[in-house]
C-alpha cells in the first residue's frame, strides 16, 4: 500500500508542478485570454490533482514519515504554495504566482535532499575491524534504525519487518545497494560494510 500511495503522490506532484508552470508561463507572457481559457478547462483537473496531492502526502506523512527540519520546511512550502497560486493566478499577480511555483520547486528539492540524506554517505568503521556484527550494528544504527527500528519491526516509511524477512543474503545485498520502494540505495558502503550489515540483520531475524 505504501509503495502504491508513494507512486501516486510522485505522479500528482509532477502533474501539479507542470500544471502551474504552464499557467505561470502564460501569465508571464501576458496571454490573459489563453490563461483564462486554460484555467477554465482544467479547473476540475486542478481540484483533483491538488486534493490527491494533499491526501496522498498526508497519508504518507502519517504512515511512518520521519519528522525532521527538512520535512517541516517542505510542509510549510506546500501549504503556502497552494493559496498563493490560487490568489496569484486568479488576480493575475505575477509575483504571487512566481512565489507559488518557487515554493513547489523548493518542496520538491527538499524532498530529494531528505531522501539523499538518509543514505548517510561514507562511514569510517575501521574501529570495528574483525568484529562484523559490531560494525553492522553501528551502520544499522546510523542508516537503518530510523525506519526499521532497533528490533527491525518499526515499519517507518513503509519499511519491511526485518525480523520476519525471507530474503536471502544475496537479495539483501541487492536491496542495500540499489534500494527498494521508499528506501534509497546505499552505494557508498563498501562490500565489507554491506556484509557486516547483513550479518547484523540476521541476528535480529526470528
Amino acid at each position: 500500500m505504501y509503495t502504491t500511495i508513494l507512486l501516486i503522490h510522485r505522479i500528482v506532484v509532477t502533474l501539479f508542478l507542470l500544471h502551474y508552470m504552464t499557467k505561470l508561463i502564460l501569465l508571464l507572457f501576458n496571454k490573459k485570454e489563453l490563461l483564462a481559457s486554460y484555467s477554465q478547462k482544467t479547473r476540475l483537473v486542478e481540484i483533483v490533482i491538488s486534493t490527491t496531492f494533499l491526501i496522498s502526502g498526508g497519508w504518507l506523512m502519517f504512515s511512518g514519515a520521519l519528522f525532521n527540519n527538512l520535512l517541516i520546511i517542505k510542509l510549510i512550502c506546500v501549504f503556502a504554495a497552494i493559496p498563493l497560486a490560487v490568489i496569484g493566478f486568479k488576480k493575475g499577480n505575477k509575483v504571487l504566482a512566481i512565489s507559488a511555483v518557487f515554493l513547489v520547486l523548493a518542496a520538491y528539492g527538499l524532498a530529494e535532499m531528505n531522501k539523499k540524506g538518509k543514505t548517510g554517505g561514507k562511514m569510517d568503521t575501521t574501529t570495528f575491524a574483525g568484529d562484523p556484527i559490531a560494525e553492522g550494528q553501528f551502520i544499522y544504527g546510523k542508516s537503518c534504525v530510523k525506519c526499521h527500528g532497533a528490533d527491525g519491526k518499526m515499519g517507518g516509511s513503509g519499511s519491511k519487518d526485518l525480523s520476519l524477512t525471507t530474503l536471502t543474503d544475496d537479495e539483501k545485498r541487492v536491496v542495500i545497494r540499489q534500494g527498494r520502494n521508499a528506501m534509497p540505495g546505499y552505494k557508498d558502503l563498501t562490500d565489507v560494510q554491506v556484509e557486516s550489515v547483513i550479518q547484523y540483520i540476521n541476528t535480529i531475524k526470528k
Side-chain angles (χ1 to χ4, degrees), residues 173-191:
R173 290 186 191 97
V174 173
V175 173
I176 292 171
R177 285 294 189 202
Q178 299 181 8
R180 176 178 290 182
N181 301 330
M183 173 183 164
Y186 290 83
K187 298 180 180 180
D188 289 329
L189 295 178
T190 67
D191 291 340

Side-chain angles (χ1 to χ4, degrees), residues 8-27:
I8 292 172
H9 184 68
R10 287 174 175 171
I11 292 173
V12 294
V13 167
T14 301
L15 293 174
F16 184 88
L17 183 57
L18 289 175
H19 174 64
Y20 280 111
M21 284 293 292
T22 300
K23 294 179 72 171
L24 179 60
I25 291 171
L26 293 175
L27 178 61

Side-chain angles (χ1 to χ4, degrees), residues 187-200:
K187 298 180 180 180
D188 289 329
L189 295 178
T190 67
D191 291 340
V192 172
Q193 289 172 332
V194 170
E195 294 306 313
S196 296
V197 173
I198 291 172
Q199 287 191 48
Y200 176 69

Side-chain angles (χ1 to χ4, degrees), residues 10-188:
R10 287 174 175 171
I11 292 173
V12 294
V13 167
T14 301
L15 293 174
F16 184 88
L17 183 57
L18 289 175
H19 174 64
Y20 280 111
M21 284 293 292
T22 300
K23 294 179 72 171
L24 179 60
I25 291 171
L26 293 175
L27 178 61
L28 292 178
F29 283 92
N30 297 312
K31 303 293 184 179
K32 294 182 180 180
E33 292 184 2
L34 190 56
L35 174 59
S37 176
Y38 176 80
S39 298
Q40 182 64 34
K41 292 178 180 178
T42 59
R43 187 182 302 276
L44 180 59
V45 174
E46 180 176 332
I47 293 173
V48 172
I49 291 175
S50 299
T51 302
T52 306
F53 181 180
L54 293 175
I55 292 175
S56 60
W59 190 94
L60 292 171
M61 184 175 66
F62 290 106
S63 296
L66 302 173
F67 283 89
N68 53 36
N69 291 335
L70 287 179
L71 178 58
I72 293 172
I73 296 173
K74 175 191 172 185
L75 290 173
I76 293 173
C77 288
V78 170
F79 284 107
I82 294 177
L84 283 177
V86 172
I87 297 172
F89 289 114
K90 185 176 182 179
K91 301 293 185 180
N93 189 311
K94 296 179 181 180
V95 174
L96 291 181
I98 291 173
S99 298
V101 173
F102 173 79
L103 287 172
V104 175
L105 287 170
Y108 178 81
L110 288 169
E112 290 301 307
M113 286 174 60
N114 193 43
K115 180 179 178 181
K116 290 180 180 179
K118 292 180 182 179
T119 62
K122 293 183 178 180
M123 296 184 192
D124 182 3
T125 57
T126 54
T127 55
F128 299 103
D131 191 347
I133 301 298
E135 180 180 42
Q137 184 176 17
F138 173 78
I139 297 170
Y140 183 92
K142 290 287 187 180
S143 303
C144 314
V145 74
K146 290 181 180 179
C147 290
H148 288 288
D151 58 1
K153 300 178 181 181
M154 182 174 171
S157 298
S159 60
K160 302 298 183 182
D161 185 341
L162 296 180
S163 69
L164 300 176
T165 182
T166 58
L167 295 179
T168 65
D169 286 354
D170 285 338
E171 290 171 330
K172 290 171 189 171
R173 290 186 191 97
V174 173
V175 173
I176 292 171
R177 285 294 189 202
Q178 299 181 8
R180 176 178 290 182
N181 301 330
M183 173 183 164
Y186 290 83
K187 298 180 180 180
D188 289 329

